[in-house]
């Protein structure tokens, strides 16, 4: 249980100053920062504007941002649910489940796919990242047949959205529904993430506007059609909702029957050479600037940056969302984490 006598007033004041300085220095239109300790929210605040033009302020409980590749954590958790139910085995190859997948290029396992060790390039040929994207499953199968691997599976690490598309297709096959329905049923609803959904492009007053900087001026970012990108990214959420996602890594029985699935996906994978990659399955597994172990993920999409970080040993989760794409969040996340971790010593 949460120790009621533990107050973080001093740390929260410091976090407030860190955030105010960060948003000002980097000319960020809007930012949401939420922090939990032992699954209790200890800090949650919005900074700046969700809508600069109409001066609508960010509300961490309500304002939805693009979480981009943090979606990979949702996909990995969904995958592990099927592994736990004995519905699939992550050490099989994808074509064990997908008949229509070309045999060529396919001697990597689902585990390697989820850890970016498959040899697949970052994105499939012909895919677009703008409003004209109409890339489909049919295109995927056609392109997969022709795209060569960049290296022998397991010999190198190369971040790949391509790989997550393929994981999405495997999940769909075992689940009998679309990837977004599977993510929803097995992870999002299970964790009561009521403010997390796909970025469908529909107007919603709770979704922030998205921005980028051009010639020193803040401008609205362009819309990207998310078709066939939902296994790798393209979800929206609030910083408070993301804490629920982070806390399943500390309290696995919120979703699983045991701790085992979390142990599997947070374990750093290794190359054949023995080198650790700093990545498990859909989860970064690394050490921050101050030497503290953490799990989590970052994301970047048109007009948005995101980070979700779990300090598993200290039971602290930090979620930061901003509506500008070209600002790195690693340092501020480490600084905020350090602020609380030192207080717990």
């Amino acid at each position: 249980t949460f120790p009621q006598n533990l107050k973080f007033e001093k740390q929260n004041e410091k976090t407030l100053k860190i955030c105010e300085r960060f948003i000002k220095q980097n000319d960020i239109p809007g930012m949401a920062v939420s922090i939990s300790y032992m699954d209790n929210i200890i800090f949650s605040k919005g900074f700046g504007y969700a809508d600069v033009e109409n001066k609508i302020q960010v509300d961490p409980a309500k304002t939805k941002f693009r979480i981009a590749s943090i979606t990979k954590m949702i996909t990995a958790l969904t995958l592990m649910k099927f592994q736990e139910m004995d519905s699939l085995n992550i050490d099989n190859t994808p074509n064990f489940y997908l008949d229509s997948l070309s045999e060529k290029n396919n001697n990597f396992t689902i585990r390697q796919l989820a850890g970016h060790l498959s040899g697949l390039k970052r994105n499939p040929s012909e895919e677009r990242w703008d409003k004209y994207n109409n890339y489909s499953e049919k295109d995927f199968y056609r392109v997969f047949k022709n795209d060569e691997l960049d290296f022998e599976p397991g010999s190198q690490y190369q971040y790949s959205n391509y790989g997550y598309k393929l994981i999405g297709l495997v999940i769909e096959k075992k689940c009998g529904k679309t990837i977004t329905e599977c993510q929803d049923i097995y992870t999002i609803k299970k964790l009561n993430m009521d403010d997390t959904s796909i970025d469908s492009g529909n107007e919603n007053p709770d979704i922030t506007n998205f921005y980028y900087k051009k010639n020193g001026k803040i401008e609205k970012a362009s819309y990207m059609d998310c078709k066939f990108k939902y296994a790798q990214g393209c979800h929206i959420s609030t910083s408070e909702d993301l804490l629920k996602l982070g806390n399943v890594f500390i309290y696995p029985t919120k979703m699983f029957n045991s701790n085992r699935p979390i142990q599997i996906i947070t374990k750093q994978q290794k190359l054949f050479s023995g080198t650790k990659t700093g990545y498990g399955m859909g989860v970064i597994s690394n050490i921050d600037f101050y030497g503290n172990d953490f799990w989590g993920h970052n994301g970047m999409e048109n007009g948005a940056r995101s980070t979700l970080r779990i300090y598993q040993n200290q039971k602290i989760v930090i979620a930061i969302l901003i509506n500008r794409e070209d600002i790195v969040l690693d340092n501020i996340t480490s600084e905020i984490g350090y602020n609380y971790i030192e207080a717990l010593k």
Side-chain angles (χ1 to χ4, degrees):
T1 57
F2 184 73
Q4 290 307 320
N5 62 340
L6 199 58
K7 297 277 187 279
F8 289 100
E9 279 132 351
K10 249 168 60 185
Q11 287 70 34
N12 288 346
E13 272 172 44
K14 192 170 179 192
T15 297
L16 196 65
K17 288 198 178 89
I18 290 169
C19 293
E20 283 168 347
R21 185 185 70 221
F22 184 78
I23 193 167
K24 204 169 158 193
Q25 276 177 351
N26 293 288
D27 201 7
I28 296 165
M31 174 166 84
V33 179
S34 298
I35 304 163
S36 69
Y37 170 63
M38 294 182 77
D39 206 12
N40 287 262
I41 295 178
I42 54 170
F43 181 94
S44 194
K45 191 154 172 47
F47 300 85
Y49 298 110
D51 179 339
V52 172
E53 297 75 14
N54 296 303
K55 299 277 183 277
I56 296 167
Q57 292 184 316
V58 171
D59 178 344
K62 210 171 86 167
T63 308
K64 297 177 184 187
F65 292 76
R66 291 176 179 149
I67 65 169
S69 283
I70 291 175
T71 292
K72 290 183 175 72
M73 294 174 84
I74 296 172
T75 301
L77 288 168
T78 309
L79 179 70
M80 289 312 292
K81 195 63 199 169
F82 282 92
Q83 163 101 355
E84 186 183 63
M85 297 187 299
D86 282 338
S87 185
L88 60 77
N89 181 344
I90 54 172
D91 291 314
N92 282 333
T93 63
N95 62 334
F96 187 85
Y97 304 104
L98 302 170
D99 311 333
S100 32
L101 200 64
S102 151
E103 288 281 341
K104 188 174 93 78
N105 285 359
N106 205 8
N107 61 337
F108 44 77
T109 64
I110 294 165
R111 190 193 294 261
Q112 286 176 317
L113 264 186
H116 306 293
L117 302 176
S118 66
L120 286 170
K121 57 178 84 166
R122 188 179 179 105
N123 299 306
S125 306
E126 301 179 28
E127 187 182 20
R128 297 183 65 123
W129 296 81
D130 56 22
K131 62 182 177 186
Y132 304 109
N133 171 50
N134 58 4
Y135 198 79
S136 69
E137 192 175 324
K138 205 169 152 191
D139 295 321
F140 178 91
Y141 280 113
R142 176 177 52 78
V143 162
F144 185 82
K145 212 175 284 180
N146 303 323
D147 279 346
E148 295 292 330
L149 292 183
D150 283 353
F151 51 85
E152 185 195 348
S155 65
Q156 292 178 48
Y157 172 93
Q158 177 169 272
Y159 191 83
S160 175
N161 289 312
Y162 202 153
Y164 271 77
K165 285 190 192 315
L166 194 44
I167 291 170
L169 292 173
V170 171
I171 292 171
E172 284 186 344
K173 186 72 186 269
K174 299 313 295 179
C175 178
K177 294 179 167 63
T178 66
I179 182 60
T180 56
E181 288 171 311
C182 307
Q183 289 164 325
D184 219 39
I185 295 163
Y186 291 97
T187 303
I188 293 170
K189 284 203 167 63
K190 200 94 177 154
L191 301 178
N192 300 316
M193 294 170 68
D194 302 330
D195 293 308
T196 302
S197 60
I198 59 169
D199 185 0
S200 59
N202 296 338
E203 287 292 314
N204 179 328
D206 288 337
I207 300 176
T208 177
N209 287 339
F210 298 98
Y211 301 94
Y212 72 108
K213 204 166 192 179
K214 191 181 178 187
N215 304 328
K217 273 177 66 183
I218 294 286
E219 297 191 12
K220 270 194 184 176
S222 59
Y223 169 66
M224 177 178 79
D225 191 310
C226 275
K227 263 193 287 297
F228 200 50
K229 294 185 195 287
Y230 293 121
Q232 73 206 46
C234 273
H235 282 66
I236 52 171
S237 187
T238 65
S239 57
E240 288 193 5
D241 232 20
L242 284 185
L243 294 181
K244 297 173 184 175
L245 179 63
N247 273 295
V248 74
F249 287 84
I250 300 171
Y251 306 100
T253 52
K254 286 172 178 283
M255 185 172 158
F256 298 105
N257 301 327
S258 74
N259 297 350
R260 187 86 186 109
I262 295 298
Q263 287 168 348
I264 292 168
I265 62 173
T266 55
K267 189 176 184 204
Q268 277 196 49
Q269 295 206 44
K270 287 181 186 169
L271 306 179
F272 290 150
S273 64
T275 307
K276 287 184 173 178
T277 62
Y279 200 95
M281 293 171 58
V283 187
I284 294 166
S285 182
N286 221 323
I287 293 170
D288 74 6
F289 174 79
Y290 298 98
N292 295 308
D293 293 309
F294 74 88
W295 299 324
H297 219 290
N298 302 327
M300 182 175 100
E301 221 174 276
N302 296 16
R305 271 279 172 129
S306 58
T307 196
L308 177 61
R309 191 176 288 186
I310 302 128
Y311 286 103
Q312 60 273 25
N313 299 330
Q314 295 85 4
K315 297 185 166 52
I316 289 169
V317 179
I318 302 168
I320 304 178
L321 298 169
I322 63 173
N323 53 9
R324 198 182 142 189
E325 73 194 62
D326 50 344
I327 305 293
V328 179
L329 299 173
D330 289 347
N331 289 349
I332 183 179
T333 314
S334 297
E335 197 181 343
I336 289 171
Y338 179 76
N339 178 24
Y340 293 94
I341 289 167
E342 287 302 296
L344 291 170
K345 282 183 176 170

